[in-house]
């Protein structure tokens, strides 16, 4: 009884079994249906989805529920006889068998989970729950009264954000083993603050240290991974690789900046853009340090500076001249002012004129430089042509000289040509002689080179494989270590007082029990055999008795005939009863009642149909 | 303006210079209270600014020793030496901070981040929720002012964020 209860407790509402119910025999139909449905819900939620655990009031609905429940039980794997009658007109052995089967089928999560090593998350949740419980148990205490233990949980110190600051740590020189410069040594000895005093607030110390450490580590890691992937493949030494990368990056940066500046220059020629550009360039320098900054000149800033300083100088000169030309202040101030304004407007006019002129002139200069370039190109081409022509002219003049004594000269030329042809053949054979070994050598060297390349690439791949292996083994080691830690914590959490002897004792007890049960089983078996024998004897006797009675003449006596009739009827009923004996009379009455109820329901429904 | 440095005694000036260097590198600048007997507040600020600018320029432009001597010619020799020593011992640190500043060219920049992992045990509707939440605090520097930004994310949102950051990282790697 209690076992069922405990099992049902797993679902959202435990099965309510009244006090008066003492055994399975006293289970009502409602209780049986509820128990079975709840068990099915746990075993196979999909099967029990459509089933309600409350017996419906209508008889036909009850019938349907019984049918579907029986079907569900068979689906789960129940082998015994089952139908709607099992639930509605119950008898003890069937219900007991069914419930036993269902309880056997219930999933055993709880027992299994305690056997397996608990997962990390379960451990964590357990520890969280434990911590919260213990912290909730501690009363809140005003800050001034807190003992150090409480400060840890109740102070608001933990609410500090993570703010890292730069720390001055002279590590690079110490680690690389180079000689430490005198100035650095002096700084470290006299002026370097201890790291705990460096952050502006003490709360930043931890964060700053962590950040620094992490930055260093990640830099090393990044470099290692890059070196392993790209550096090794490029087959350069570390320094070469670094310098090459630096060059590449600088070139890229340079290109990008130049591109951006040119775009700016082309897009807008207003003063705003140039001042923006100046800002930009200033920010590339040493930051906001005003006039101290020495802006590294690009072409654009140079031109800008040049034009503006020129203009301002000119303006200063003109102002000076104007001041000199002023008469020695006998006129009234108004006149002076008017004149000054006039002059100012005049000067502004002049400045504008000059600016326009400058622009024009610069345009002219550009045009002129372009044309100069073109002209110099042309000159170069002409010179080349000239050389070619003069060469041909020389050849032609020589042939003209040789023309008068044509035959003689032809013979001479023929000899010369023959000679040179011979010489060429000679030289070619000589060259061949030299060439063959050289080519051989070249081929050999090439082969050697190829071999070396192959070997080196193989080695590189080997190194990569080794790196991979190292990482894998490190990972594995980490995993194993974690598992070990987890197991250790679990082992520590296990109760320590349970000794080996207690377990062996329990095992021995169980073995003893099993032996006893075995003996009992054999006893029962022998009993059943005896009973079987007795039954056989009795049936034999019965058969014989019937045979004897059959032999009697039935028609002789009325009472004998009556007795024989009764006997025959008894025999038939016996045979029937041996099948139906399980259904008690009480069930029959119930079935009759239910039959009446169904008929009533049917008639009500028929009346409804008629009315409709 | 550098002349003002001579008012600090030669024994004290290296400390003063190193504290300024600390300030350049992201720690705190020297405090006026410690030097209030020597300077007025305006002078003090002026001197700190000038020395800061000088140190930055010297490191940023890779000025060699001769040029350095030339630009410091107004000072007496012992103070000149103090500045030179400070520069030589902290050159790398200053250079590093300048590079950092150049890196921070964009309008807003992540200065610091902090995160907290929280486990929501239950909500108003669900008794056992067990949903992990991450609380990400970003300190963003925008036009010189640091504004905190706090985001709470569940697992999927965090994964989204990480994915987009990884995509961004890929783009940056391609630039290299």
């Amino acid at each position: 009884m209690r076992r069922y209860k405990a099992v049902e407790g797993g679902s959202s509402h435990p099965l309510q079994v009244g006090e008066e119910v003492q055994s399975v025999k006293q289970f009502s139909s409602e209780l049986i249906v509820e128990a079975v449905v709840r068990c099915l819900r746990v075993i196979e939620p999909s099967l029990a989805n459509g089933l309600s655990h409350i017996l419906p009031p209508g008889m036909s609905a009850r019938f349907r529920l019984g049918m579907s429940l029986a079907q569900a039980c068979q689906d789960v794997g129940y082998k015994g006889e089952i139908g709607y009658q099992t639930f509605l007109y119950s008898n003890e052995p069937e219900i007991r068998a069914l419930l036993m089967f269902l309880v056997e089928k219930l999933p055993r999560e709880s027992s299994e989970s305690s056997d397996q090593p608990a997962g990390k998350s379960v451990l964590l949740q357990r520890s969280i729950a434990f911590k919260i419980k213990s912290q909730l148990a501690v009363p809140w205490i005003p800050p001034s009264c807190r003992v150090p233990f409480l400060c840890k949980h109740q102070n608001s110190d933990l609410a500090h954000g993570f703010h890292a600051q730069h720390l001055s740590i002279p590590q690079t020189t110490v680690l690389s083993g180079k000689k430490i410069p005198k100035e650095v040594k002096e700084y470290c000895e006299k002026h370097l603050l201890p790291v705990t005093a460096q952050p502006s607030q003490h709360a930043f110390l931890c964060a700053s240290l962590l950040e620094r450490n992490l930055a260093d580590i990640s830099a090393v890691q990044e470099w290692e991974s890059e070196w392993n992937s790209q550096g090794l493949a490029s087959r350069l030494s570390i320094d070469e690789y670094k310098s090459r990368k630096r060059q590449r990056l600088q070139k890229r940066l340079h290109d990008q900046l130049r591109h951006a500046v040119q775009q700016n220059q082309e897009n807008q020629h207003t003063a705003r853009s140039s001042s923006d550009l100046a800002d930009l360039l200033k920010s590339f320098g040493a930051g906001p340090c005003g006039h101290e900054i020495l802006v590294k000149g690009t072409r654009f800033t140079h031109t800008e500076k040049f034009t503006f300083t020129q203009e301002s100088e000119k303006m200063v000169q003109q102002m000076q001249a104007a001041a000199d030309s002023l008469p020695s202040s006998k006129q009234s101030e108004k006149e002076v002012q008017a004149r000054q304004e006039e002059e100012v407007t005049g000067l502004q006019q002049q400045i504008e004129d000059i600016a326009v002129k400058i622009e024009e002139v610069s345009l002219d200069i550009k045009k002129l430089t372009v044309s100069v370039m073109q002209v110099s190109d042309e000159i170069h081409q002409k010179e080349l042509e000239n050389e070619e022509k003069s060469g041909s002219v020389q050849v032609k003049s020589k042939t003209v000289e040789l023309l008068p004594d044509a035959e003689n000269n032809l013979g001479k030329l023929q000899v010369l040509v023959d000679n040179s042809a011979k010489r060429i053949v000679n030289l070619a054979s000589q060259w061949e002689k030299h060439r063959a070994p050289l080519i051989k050598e070249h081929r050999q060297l090439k082969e050697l080179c190829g071999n070396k390349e192959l070997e080196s690439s193989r080695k590189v791949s080997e190194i990569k494989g080794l790196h991979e292996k190292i990482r894998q083994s490190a990972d594995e080691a980490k995993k194993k270590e974690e598992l070990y830690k987890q197991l250790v914590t679990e082992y520590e959490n296990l109760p320590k007082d349970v000794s080996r002897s207690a377990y062996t004792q329990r095992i021995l007890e169980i073995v003893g029990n099993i032996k006893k049960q075995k003996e009992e089983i054999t006893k029962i078996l022998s009993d059943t055999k005896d009973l079987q024998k007795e039954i056989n004897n009795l049936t034999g006797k019965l058969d014989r008795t019937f045979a004897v009675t059959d032999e009697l003449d039935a028609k002789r006596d009325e009472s004998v005939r009556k007795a024989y009739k009764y006997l025959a009827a008894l025999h038939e009923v016996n045979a029937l009863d041996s099948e139906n004996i399980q259904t008690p009379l009480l069930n029959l009455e119930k079935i009759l009642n239910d039959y009446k109820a169904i008929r009533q329901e049917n008639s009500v429904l028929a009346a409804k149909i008629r009315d409709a | 303006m550098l002349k003002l440095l001579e008012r600090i005694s030669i024994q004290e000036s290296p400390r003063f210079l190193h504290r300024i260097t600390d300030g350049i590198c992201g720690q705190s600048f020297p405090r006026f209270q410690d030097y209030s007997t020597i300077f007025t507040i305006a002078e003090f600020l002026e001197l700190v600014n000038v020395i800061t600018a000088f140190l930055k320029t010297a490191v940023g432009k890779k000025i060699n020793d001769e040029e350095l001597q030339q630009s410091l010619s107004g000072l007496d020799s012992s103070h000149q030496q103090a500045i030179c020593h400070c520069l030589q011992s902290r050159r790398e640190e200053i250079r590093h901070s300048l590079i950092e500043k150049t890196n921070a060219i964009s309008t807003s920049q992540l200065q610091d981040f902090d995160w907290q992992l929280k486990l929501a045990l239950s909500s108003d509707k669900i008794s056992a929720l067990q949903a992990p939440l991450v609380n990400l605090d970003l300190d963003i520097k925008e036009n010189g002012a640091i504004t905190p930004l706090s985001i709470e994310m569940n697992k999927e949102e965090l994964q989204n964020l990480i994915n987009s950051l990884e995509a961004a990282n890929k783009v940056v790697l391609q630039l290299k």
Side-chain angles (χ1 to χ4, degrees):
Chain A
M1 205 64 231
R2 197 165 292 156
R3 210 162 115 215
Y4 293 151
K5 240 187 201 171
V7 167
E8 249 81 20
S11 60
S12 52
H13 299 285
L15 183 62
Q16 300 284 331
V17 182
E19 286 280 320
E20 67 278 1
V21 181
Q22 294 292 323
S23 73
V24 178
K25 204 173 174 180
Q26 285 155 312
F27 268 31
S28 63
S29 292
E30 286 87 346
L31 210 51
I32 292 165
V33 168
E34 192 175 343
V36 170
V37 170
R38 282 191 192 285
C39 283
L40 281 175
R41 274 185 194 159
V42 179
I43 294 166
E44 192 66 59
S46 61
L47 272 177
N49 255 351
L51 302 173
S52 116
H53 63 268
I54 298 160
L55 212 54
M59 212 40 234
S60 44
R62 279 182 186 205
F63 174 74
R64 264 199 306 268
L65 179 67
M67 289 294 277
S68 48
L69 263 183
Q71 187 59 45
C73 285
Q74 274 172 346
D75 287 349
V76 169
Y78 185 61
K79 295 259 166 43
E81 257 187 17
I82 192 167
Y84 66 95
Q85 75 277 2
T86 319
F87 302 101
L88 299 183
Y89 317 110
S90 55
N91 64 34
E92 196 189 348
E94 270 185 17
I95 288 300
R96 190 182 289 282
L98 178 64
L99 285 180
M100 293 277 275
F101 167 78
L102 287 177
V103 169
E104 283 288 320
K105 274 269 172 181
L106 282 178
R108 281 174 213 173
E109 288 166 346
S110 51
S111 62
E112 272 168 12
S113 66
S114 66
D115 290 344
Q116 283 172 356
K120 228 181 194 174
S121 63
V122 177
L123 275 179
L124 180 70
Q125 284 179 12
R126 255 187 235 155
S127 63
I128 288 170
F130 178 73
K131 258 270 161 60
I132 290 177
K133 219 178 259 175
S134 68
Q135 283 183 19
L136 280 176
V138 177
W140 181 83
I141 292 175
S144 50
C145 308
R146 277 175 201 161
V147 286
F149 159 72
L150 285 171
C151 287
K152 205 173 154 198
H153 303 304
Q154 299 192 347
N155 274 15
S156 52
D157 283 352
L158 290 171
H160 271 303
F162 186 96
H163 296 285
Q165 279 187 335
H166 173 81
L167 296 177
S168 177
I169 300 172
Q171 59 174 73
T172 44
T173 47
V174 176
L175 281 180
S176 60
K178 285 178 202 158
K179 202 175 162 231
I180 303 168
K182 195 183 75 191
E183 294 86 5
V184 177
K185 204 167 177 179
E186 192 189 319
Y187 163 64
C188 292
E189 281 171 0
K190 290 187 187 164
H191 307 296
L192 180 60
L193 290 174
V195 77
T196 46
Q198 283 184 18
S200 57
Q201 282 186 40
H202 190 67
F204 297 166
L205 172 65
C206 189
S208 307
L209 277 174
L210 280 173
E211 170 70 23
R212 174 65 184 251
N213 187 37
L214 199 71
D216 288 353
I217 285 177
S218 67
V220 171
Q221 271 181 348
E222 205 167 291
W223 164 243
E224 258 179 18
S225 69
E226 190 186 325
W227 176 243
N228 282 337
S229 60
Q230 293 172 24
L232 274 179
S234 69
R235 291 182 202 164
L236 294 170
S237 75
I238 291 179
D239 288 338
E240 276 174 354
Y241 178 76
K242 275 186 176 168
S243 67
R244 190 171 286 192
K245 189 178 173 188
R246 182 173 296 134
Q247 277 174 9
R248 204 174 63 224
L249 281 179
Q250 270 175 352
K251 191 161 169 265
R252 220 180 155 117
L253 264 177
H254 209 241
D255 288 350
Q256 294 252 354
L257 276 179
R258 177 172 288 175
H259 188 68
V261 168
Q262 269 175 358
Q263 250 184 359
N264 243 2
Q265 212 171 353
E266 281 162 18
N267 282 354
Q268 331 154 284
H269 234 314
T270 58
R272 224 185 83 76
S273 80
S274 65
S275 74
D276 271 359
L277 195 65
D279 283 350
L280 183 77
L281 287 165
K282 219 180 267 179
S283 71
F284 273 124
C289 33
H291 301 293
E292 293 285 325
I293 179 173
L294 303 164
V295 180
K296 193 172 178 183
T298 62
R299 191 153 59 89
F300 181 63
T301 47
H302 278 319
T303 52
E304 182 198 59
K305 213 173 168 183
F306 183 58
T307 50
F308 281 147
T309 45
Q310 261 190 342
E311 275 178 29
S312 59
E313 271 170 19
K314 270 181 199 165
M315 252 174 74
V316 167
Q317 280 172 4
Q318 281 167 349
M319 292 293 273
Q320 198 70 39
D324 288 345
S325 68
L326 269 178
S328 48
S329 75
K330 273 184 184 169
Q331 287 146 322
S332 63
E333 276 186 25
K334 269 191 186 172
E335 273 176 27
V336 174
Q337 243 177 4
R339 269 184 67 180
Q340 272 179 346
E341 269 172 28
E342 238 172 67
E343 262 177 50
V344 166
T345 47
L347 285 173
Q348 270 175 350
Q349 191 64 39
Q350 272 183 0
I351 287 167
E352 274 165 28
D353 289 351
I354 287 168
V356 169
K357 266 184 205 163
I358 285 172
E359 245 172 64
E360 279 170 11
V361 168
S362 65
L363 262 177
D364 280 353
I365 286 172
K366 266 186 199 166
K367 274 182 200 162
L368 283 176
T369 46
V370 168
S371 58
V372 163
M373 289 246 284
Q374 280 175 352
V375 167
S376 64
D377 268 1
E378 268 174 41
I379 286 170
H380 194 69
Q381 274 182 354
K382 286 266 162 75
E383 272 174 3
L384 279 177
E385 274 174 34
N386 214 10
E387 268 176 32
E388 262 177 43
K389 276 178 183 166
S390 64
S392 64
V393 162
Q394 268 187 358
V395 172
K396 276 180 185 166
S397 65
K398 258 218 170 135
T399 45
V400 167
E401 273 175 27
L402 292 177
L403 262 182
D405 193 6
E407 273 181 30
N408 215 352
N409 283 332
L410 264 179
K412 269 183 196 169
L413 268 176
Q414 194 63 43
V415 169
L416 258 173
V417 166
D418 284 352
N419 276 345
S420 47
K422 264 181 206 164
R423 242 173 54 205
I424 282 171
V425 169
N426 207 2
L427 282 173
S429 66
Q430 269 181 25
W431 164 236
E432 229 11 78
K433 264 184 217 159
H434 284 289
R435 207 170 76 112
L438 281 175
I439 280 180
K440 225 181 204 176
E441 211 180 326
H442 178 236
R443 272 191 200 141
Q444 275 175 354
L445 285 174
K446 227 180 189 176
E447 218 168 282
L448 225 86
C449 204
N451 281 346
K452 271 191 184 163
E453 199 132 302
L454 261 178
E455 210 172 310
S456 72
S457 63
R458 212 185 54 227
K459 278 192 178 153
V460 165
S461 67
E462 235 168 70
I463 290 167
K464 270 189 193 165
L466 276 177
H467 274 294
E468 190 68 19
K469 241 184 222 169
I470 288 167
R471 212 160 359 129
Q472 273 178 2
S473 348
D475 282 355
E476 234 167 78
K478 235 184 262 167
K479 264 187 215 157
K480 293 252 161 89
E481 212 150 275
E482 259 168 44
L483 191 68
Y484 169 71
K485 265 185 211 158
Q486 200 182 314
L487 286 175
V488 163
T489 51
E490 234 169 81
Y491 174 69
E492 277 165 5
N493 287 343
L494 284 177
K496 293 275 163 34
D497 49 344
V498 185
S499 64
R500 197 184 152 85
S501 63
Y503 276 117
T504 44
Q505 205 153 356
R506 260 168 72 185
I507 291 167
L508 285 178
E509 266 172 36
I510 292 166
V511 170
N513 277 344
I514 290 169
K515 263 183 198 162
K516 256 185 225 165
Q517 281 173 357
K518 210 174 173 183
E519 276 169 25
E520 263 169 53
I521 288 166
T522 46
K523 227 188 257 171
I524 290 165
L525 271 178
S526 63
D527 278 3
T528 12
K529 267 183 199 161
D530 286 350
L531 274 175
Q532 193 68 41
K533 255 183 213 165
E534 218 170 298
I535 288 166
N536 285 347
N537 274 343
L538 285 175
T539 44
K541 218 177 188 176
L542 194 70
D543 285 344
R544 280 199 298 281
T545 328
F546 271 117
V548 171
T549 3
D550 275 344
E551 280 166 19
L552 287 178
D553 193 0
K555 289 168 188 172
R556 210 181 293 162
D557 197 345
E558 188 67 18
S559 61
V560 173
R561 217 172 68 187
K562 231 179 189 173
Y564 182 74
K565 245 187 196 164
Y566 280 138
L567 187 67
L570 196 75
H571 195 180
E572 265 175 39
V573 168
N574 240 353
L576 271 177
D577 270 8
S578 63
E579 287 168 12
N580 287 348
I581 202 144
Q582 285 159 346
T583 327
L585 260 176
L586 198 133
N587 269 0
L588 201 66
E589 263 172 49
K590 241 172 137 186
I591 291 169
L592 276 174
N593 285 338
D594 287 348
Y595 174 58
K596 275 178 197 161
I598 287 181
R599 269 179 87 174
Q600 220 166 359
E601 274 180 33
N602 279 350
S603 60
V604 169
L605 285 173
K608 264 189 192 168
I609 289 168
R610 234 178 291 140
D611 287 352
Chain B
M1 267 306 152
L2 274 172
K3 263 291 192 199
L4 283 170
L5 184 62
E6 287 176 15
R7 286 206 219 161
I8 303 177
S9 69
I10 188 63
Q11 287 82 19
E12 277 300 307
S13 57
R15 180 205 294 280
F16 180 70
L17 291 168
H18 278 299
R19 290 296 82 79
I20 290 179
T21 317
D22 284 346
I24 295 172
C25 298
Q27 295 173 25
S28 43
F29 277 99
R31 291 183 307 171
F32 172 64
Q33 290 98 296
D34 300 340
Y35 299 91
S36 55
T37 52
I38 309 173
F39 301 112
T40 65
I41 183 87
E43 283 170 340
F44 179 76
L45 290 179
E46 180 82 36
L47 180 61
V48 169
N49 279 341
V50 166
I51 291 179
T52 306
F54 177 78
L55 290 176
K56 277 180 177 174
T57 318
V59 175
K61 301 295 163 211
K62 295 178 185 157
I63 290 176
N64 60 26
D65 286 350
E66 280 174 34
E67 286 171 316
L68 206 68
Q69 297 283 350
Q70 226 166 30
S71 49
L72 289 175
S73 56
L75 277 176
D76 63 39
S77 62
S78 53
H79 281 94
Q80 272 186 28
Q81 209 172 12
I83 291 182
C84 287
H85 278 193
C86 176
L87 250 180
Q88 271 153 7
S89 59
R90 307 291 293 271
R91 188 180 290 274
E92 269 310 301
E93 269 181 75
I94 297 173
R95 206 174 73 86
H96 196 260
S97 84
L98 288 180
I99 288 174
E100 291 280 305
K101 234 171 229 152
T102 316
N103 271 344
I105 189 170
S106 50
T107 49
S108 54
Q109 197 219 359
L110 183 64
Q111 198 72 11
D112 248 325
F113 75 96
D114 190 10
W115 54 269
Q116 291 161 297
L117 187 62
K118 299 174 173 176
L119 185 70
L121 293 173
S122 57
S123 74
D124 59 340
K125 296 193 178 59
I126 304 167
S127 67
L129 192 61
Q130 310 278 25
L133 294 170
V134 74
N135 198 356
L136 188 63
D137 291 318
L138 305 173
D139 287 348
I140 289 172
K141 194 171 188 180
E142 208 168 358
N143 301 328
I146 290 178
T147 46
L149 184 72
S150 190
I151 323 163
E152 189 176 73
M153 289 174 289
N154 61 21
K155 216 168 168 184
E156 292 88 48
E157 287 164 337
L158 179 65
Q159 197 56 52
N160 270 345
L161 179 74
I162 290 173
N163 284 344
S164 47
L165 285 181
E166 271 173 358
N169 188 34
K170 236 179 224 170
V171 174
V172 170
L173 281 181
Q174 273 173 2
L175 272 183
K176 284 182 187 173

